């Protein structure tokens, strides 16, 4: 049974989500703030965290950032829940390291669909062979990425994006195609989300100048290429 941890200080939402998740066959735990969330996660690592943005004390965004930085939780799938629906908020939310973003009010059905999509993506497996380009290597089995032997920590979406690029080099993909291949068909995500994750991926690869492999092709999309 997959374990979902909800971090939410609003009781009504906590109850509604808990009921829906248990009905959908998940095990469910609820905590009301970031400090309790950290204790829960340390005691028993969940399969996915639903994280309310507006929490008393440390915000959901800050907690997401912190989880991404720690080795144990760097690949833990995170969905942000928020009443804030502005495009800028969405981008900020995803930049914090969250894998998806759900705006309140949401229906239990929508939330479950998003949870299932994120879980599917985080456990999806493709070919087994490690890929390597000029010292940039990715092992799909161990989920390890390294640059000239130095390990790189990537969040799950960036990992899948890089994996897709490295398995399809020298081809241009539109944002829509990347969404289909990396996020999955039928998942409701805006195309701008792709840019956010590309930016995060470039930032991680930029530590050793590998960001130049992720090339923007004007009015077409993105391409992975070891050539200039
Ligand atoms: Ca709240």
């Amino acid at each position: 049974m997959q374990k979902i941890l909800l971090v939410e200080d609003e009781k009504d939402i906590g109850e509604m989500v808990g009921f829906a998740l248990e009905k959908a066959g998940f095990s469910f735990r609820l905590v009301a703030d970031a400090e309790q969330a950290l204790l829960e996660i340390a005691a028993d690592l969940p399969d996915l965290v639903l994280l309310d943005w507006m929490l008393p004390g440390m915000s959901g965004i800050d907690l997401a950032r912190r989880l991404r930085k720690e080795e144990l939780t760097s690949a833990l799938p995170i969905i942000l829940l928020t009443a804030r629906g502005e495009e800028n908020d969405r981008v900020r939310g995803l930049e914090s390291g969250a894998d998806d973003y759900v705006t309140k009010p949401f229906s239990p059905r929508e939330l479950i669909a998003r949870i299932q999509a994120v879980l599917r993506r985080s456990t999806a497996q493709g070919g087994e062979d490690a890929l390597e380009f000029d010292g940039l290597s990715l092992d799909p089995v161990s989920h390890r990425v390294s640059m000239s032997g130095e390990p790189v920590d990537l969040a799950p979406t960036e990992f899948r994006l890089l994996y897709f690029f490295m398995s399809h080099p020298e081809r241009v993909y539109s944002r829509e195609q990347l969404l289909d291949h990396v996020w999955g068909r039928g998942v409701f995500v805006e195309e701008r989300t792709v840019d956010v994750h590309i930016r995060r991926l470039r930032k991680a690869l930029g530590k050793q100048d590998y960001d130049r492999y992720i090339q923007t092709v004007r009015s077409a999309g993105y391409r992975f290429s070891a050539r200039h």
Side-chain angles (χ1 to χ4, degrees):
M1 196 185 277
Q2 286 177 303
K3 297 175 282 189
I4 313 287
L5 177 67
L6 170 62
V7 190
E8 168 66 87
D9 57 315
E10 286 161 77
K11 268 211 173 103
D12 292 353
I13 295 180
E15 278 171 20
M16 186 265 276
V17 170
F19 180 75
L21 285 179
E22 282 173 358
K23 211 171 135 207
F26 291 104
S27 106
F28 169 74
R29 282 175 292 160
L30 173 65
V31 294
D33 61 41
E35 287 72 21
Q36 288 180 54
L38 289 169
L39 291 175
E40 271 300 316
I41 290 167
D44 185 9
L45 187 68
D47 294 291
L48 181 143
V49 179
L50 294 172
L51 194 48
D52 185 31
W53 182 318
M54 302 295 274
L55 292 168
M58 190 194 294
S59 75
I61 286 257
D62 289 338
L63 178 56
R65 287 209 181 92
R66 179 156 168 188
L67 292 173
R68 278 292 166 263
K69 271 191 208 137
E70 286 174 21
E71 194 179 347
L72 173 73
T73 51
S74 65
L76 178 61
I78 298 172
I79 297 179
L80 268 181
L81 305 179
T82 175
R84 313 171 68 153
E86 298 288 320
E87 183 62 25
N88 277 346
D89 289 337
R90 182 180 291 272
V91 170
R92 263 184 71 202
L94 294 171
E95 280 179 341
S96 73
D99 296 282
D100 203 355
Y101 180 105
V102 176
T103 308
K104 294 176 185 173
F106 50 81
S107 72
R109 229 179 107 193
E110 181 194 357
L111 181 67
I112 302 275
R114 303 284 276 272
I115 290 172
Q116 285 166 338
V118 168
L119 285 172
R120 216 169 26 242
R121 276 162 16 209
S122 71
T123 54
Q125 290 192 345
E128 306 276 293
D129 292 341
L131 301 165
E132 215 251 288
F133 288 86
D134 276 357
L136 174 64
S137 79
L138 178 148
D139 183 345
V141 176
S142 64
H143 267 232
R144 282 180 207 280
V145 176
S146 64
M147 299 185 292
S148 314
E150 287 280 306
V152 192
D153 269 337
L154 292 180
T157 304
E158 282 73 73
F159 178 86
R160 284 192 311 278
L161 194 53
L162 180 61
Y163 183 26
F164 179 75
F165 275 135
M166 290 178 76
S167 14
H168 302 84
E170 303 298 339
R171 281 191 58 180
V172 179
Y173 289 93
S174 67
R175 290 169 179 78
E176 193 185 349
Q177 287 172 320
L178 288 171
L179 283 175
D180 277 352
H181 288 292
V182 177
W183 277 256
R185 250 171 232 279
V187 173
F188 175 77
V189 187
E190 287 167 42
E191 292 192 2
R192 206 173 144 187
T193 301
V194 173
D195 301 331
V196 173
H197 289 280
I198 292 273
R199 202 148 65 228
R200 278 160 51 175
L201 178 58
R202 279 183 174 146
K203 195 175 165 204
L205 299 181
K207 285 170 193 153
Q208 287 199 31
D209 286 340
Y210 285 103
D211 52 324
R212 67 196 150 87
Y213 285 16
I214 313 287
Q215 300 169 352
T216 303
V217 183
R218 194 175 292 209
S219 71
Y222 294 101
R223 167 183 62 210
F224 178 89
S225 171
R227 283 183 268 161
H228 289 283

